[in-house]
Amino acid sequence: MNILVIAYACEPDRGSEPGVGWNWVKLMAQNENHHITVLTRANNKPVIEKYMNSHDDMKAEFIYYDLPRKILKYKHGDRGIKLFFSLWQYGAIKYIQKNVNLSQFDCVWDFNFGSLNMPLFTYKLRKKYVIGPVSTKKKMPRAYIKEMGFKWRMKYAIQQFMKEHLWSNPVVWKALKKADRVILCNEMSREFLPKCQRQKAQVIFHNGIVEEDYPRYEEKQTYGSKLELIYAGRLIDTKNLATAIRGLKIVKDCGRDFSFDIYGNGYLKEKLKKQVRELGLEKHIIFHDKVSQQQLFEEYVKKDCFLFPSLLEISSTAVMEAMYCGLIPICLDIRCMEFILNDSPVLRVPCISPEADAKAIAEMILTLEVSHIRQQKKACYDYAKKHFVWETRRKEIQLLLEQPDKIQETLG
């Protein structure tokens, strides 16, 4: 079978969406019964060609398209990335119609940037197609929303309405209804699909990590009474670090010794520093700028727990990386992260309200016995190695390609 893959984000040696796109394509292309051609951003061409010149494990072919320079000059980092993706997606379909011989392909597979509610113009190709892996996010608890600023709440309400009511975007709704199959990142997302797609949709854990990128796991040699925690990521509202800091104030007041290193930048950094000062936690909580992955992993192996109270995640690469480095994650129990949280040794905190969750985080830390940390850290590493390494995704992805009742029956 010849498959044309549309992947806006597809880069080697990256995490998040670019890493998901690259590794899915890589594993799909290893199937000898299928030939994979990928249309991705022209911006990705240098890194892809550099990788392919020094590696022979990527069997897919690549073609490239990008927006005109007069549009790209306004793109800076992740700012407005959803708008740029939507424009790229529309332009990519026009490019395919004009420059690609679609009769050579049995189907089109559109990754759609991992989001179920992003504009999707694939149906305009008049070709049988698959969407995914994609997902959406469940609404945050009302108690958390109330704490946000008015502008943030209004923006969030509009965005969440569109995520939970996909029919509000005719382009998305039409594309989903016409799709031959939709691959979902979590079971929760099924309820938002058109009724005609709910039974045809398939759920698969879509993310992973590359073992070669991480230091070899070695058990921490010494454990004292001091619990060492770490966080790495953006310092923004939805990462919910203010709640974690409230919880650590309780931990301090109860007399347990700890340290919490925060790595990353974001618009809340100064506000969080002020909170730490006001709560008298300066000796316990230290802020660091963003560092390289290698430097971060070197810090991970020295610590005990990964404190990650995020409110909105689908499959956090950060949590998977932390577990593979032997850290014990402390996370809020949010539905979108079912494949990471369910049946794993992650310490889960009920996602209720800032006050309740701060107390629950504190209780979790206070009851974590030093004598059990070594065993718990090893359990986290073992779970990550078994479930999160990209190589473990191979069988599932090959199954998607091969099973007649999964995809090929719809492709006729």
Side-chain angles (χ1 to χ4, degrees):
M1 180 186 292
N2 291 328
I3 301 175
L4 174 62
V5 175
I6 302 175
Y8 174 89
C10 183
E11 295 180 65
D13 303 321
R14 289 284 304 276
S16 300
E17 287 86 356
V20 170
W22 177 263
N23 285 288
W24 265 72
V25 165
K26 182 177 177 180
L27 292 177
M28 289 170 68
Q30 289 175 3
N31 189 310
E32 295 181 355
N33 298 322
H34 298 82
H35 182 268
I36 307 298
T37 301
V38 186
L39 175 66
T40 187
R41 285 195 64 198
N43 185 60
N44 299 334
K45 185 175 181 179
V47 292
I48 289 175
E49 290 190 342
K50 181 179 179 181
Y51 179 93
M52 295 184 74
N53 287 335
S54 57
H55 298 75
D56 59 3
D57 56 353
M58 173 53 86
K59 308 300 182 183
E61 293 183 15
F62 288 85
I63 53 179
Y64 303 93
Y65 162 78
D66 228 328
L67 291 165
R69 289 187 179 181
K70 62 182 179 181
I71 297 177
L72 285 177
K73 69 180 181 180
Y74 295 104
K75 188 180 185 304
H76 302 288
D78 290 340
R79 185 177 179 182
I81 192 168
K82 292 182 179 180
L83 173 60
F84 282 102
F85 167 76
S86 301
L87 294 173
W88 184 89
Q89 237 263 353
Y90 183 79
I93 298 302
K94 293 292 186 183
Y95 177 87
I96 292 171
Q97 290 173 330
K98 185 177 180 180
N99 299 283
V100 177
N101 183 3
L102 278 174
S103 64
Q104 297 179 349
F105 297 96
D106 298 292
C107 77
V108 177
W109 193 311
D110 197 333
F111 283 9
N112 203 32
F113 210 31
S115 178
L116 193 56
N117 67 308
M118 297 288 278
L120 191 77
F121 301 99
T122 321
Y123 68 90
K124 291 181 176 290
L125 295 176
R126 301 185 182 278
K127 195 79 178 178
K128 293 186 176 183
Y129 65 96
V130 178
I131 301 172
V134 289
S135 181
T136 189
K137 296 174 182 176
K138 198 72 172 176
K139 192 174 184 178
M140 287 166 36
R142 184 171 297 184
Y144 276 104
I145 297 174
K146 286 182 177 179
E147 288 216 340
M148 307 298 183
F150 177 76
K151 288 184 178 180
W152 191 97
R153 293 200 307 270
M154 292 300 100
K155 181 180 178 182
Y156 175 76
I158 295 170
Q159 291 176 338
Q160 195 61 31
F161 179 87
M162 295 189 72
K163 288 177 182 177
E164 296 186 9
H165 302 87
L166 297 175
W167 51 262
S168 62
N169 188 326
V171 174
V172 172
W173 197 246
K174 186 173 183 178
L176 289 173
K177 289 184 74 172
K178 290 188 171 225
D180 293 273
R181 183 149 298 277
V182 180
I183 310 300
L184 300 174
C185 303
N186 50 52
E187 187 62 40
M188 180 210 70
S189 297
R190 193 190 299 270
E191 65 190 79
F192 302 114
L193 292 176
K195 289 183 180 179
C196 63
Q197 284 291 355
R198 291 177 188 174
Q199 293 304 314
K200 295 198 310 182
Q202 185 168 355
V203 179
I204 182 172
F205 182 49
H206 69 292
N207 204 353
I209 56 177
V210 180
E211 276 192 292
E212 293 77 15
D213 294 343
Y214 298 84
R216 182 179 178 182
Y217 172 74
E218 294 182 6
E219 289 192 13
K220 191 175 174 182
Q221 297 302 309
T222 58
Y223 291 89
S225 58
K226 182 178 180 179
L227 186 66
E228 297 181 293
L229 305 110
I230 190 170
Y231 165 87
R234 293 179 295 165
L235 307 184
I236 59 176
D237 288 289
T238 55
K239 297 304 180 182
N240 197 29
L241 282 172
T243 297
I245 293 170
R246 291 180 191 177
L248 292 175
K249 168 63 174 171
I250 300 172
V251 173
K252 180 195 172 189
D253 291 343
C254 290
R256 177 151 197 185
D257 194 14
F258 71 90
S259 66
F260 183 34
D261 289 272
I262 299 175
Y263 285 85
N265 297 310
Y267 59 80
L268 278 186
K269 191 165 191 174
E270 293 307 315
K271 186 176 180 179
L272 292 171
K273 285 183 175 181
K274 181 180 179 182
Q275 181 188 11
V276 167
R277 290 194 299 269
E278 290 175 346
L279 296 178
L281 296 171
E282 303 99 311
K283 293 182 179 179
H284 297 271
I285 300 177
I286 308 297
F287 288 84
H288 308 266
D289 288 332
K290 184 178 179 181
V291 297
S292 69
Q293 247 190 351
Q294 184 177 358
Q295 289 174 296
L296 187 62
F297 296 155
E298 289 174 359
E299 292 300 318
Y300 277 0
V301 298
K302 303 174 187 175
K303 309 298 182 184
D304 302 312
C305 297
F306 186 68
L307 184 49
F308 192 75
S310 181
L311 294 162
L312 294 174
E313 299 290 333
I314 293 177
S315 62
S316 173
T317 304
V319 174
M320 294 190 294
E321 290 175 342
M323 292 179 72
Y324 193 82
C325 291
L327 287 170
I328 308 167
I330 301 174
C331 301
L332 296 192
D333 194 358
I334 54 179
R335 285 185 66 191
C336 304
M337 283 177 64
E338 61 187 61
F339 281 107
I340 291 181
L341 298 181
N342 291 357
D343 303 320
S344 76
V346 174
L347 302 180
R348 289 176 285 175
V349 174
C351 186
I352 301 171
S353 71
E355 295 77 14
D357 295 346
K359 291 178 182 178
I361 288 172
E363 290 173 4
M364 192 77 70
I365 292 172
L366 290 168
T367 56
L368 189 60
E369 298 182 16
V370 174
S371 58
H372 293 161
I373 289 177
R374 185 191 299 271
Q375 180 181 355
Q376 188 83 355
K377 283 169 62 68
K378 182 63 164 58
C380 286
Y381 165 73
D382 289 340
Y383 189 89
K385 186 173 179 62
K386 181 178 180 180
H387 295 280
F388 300 153
V389 173
W390 270 114
E391 199 59 29
T392 65
R393 304 269 79 76
R394 180 198 297 271
K395 185 180 293 186
E396 295 167 302
I397 292 173
Q398 298 301 329
L399 198 62
L400 283 176
L401 293 171
E402 292 294 347
Q403 281 197 349
D405 62 332
K406 297 302 181 187
I407 290 180
Q408 288 186 340
E409 98 175 352
T410 64
L411 299 178

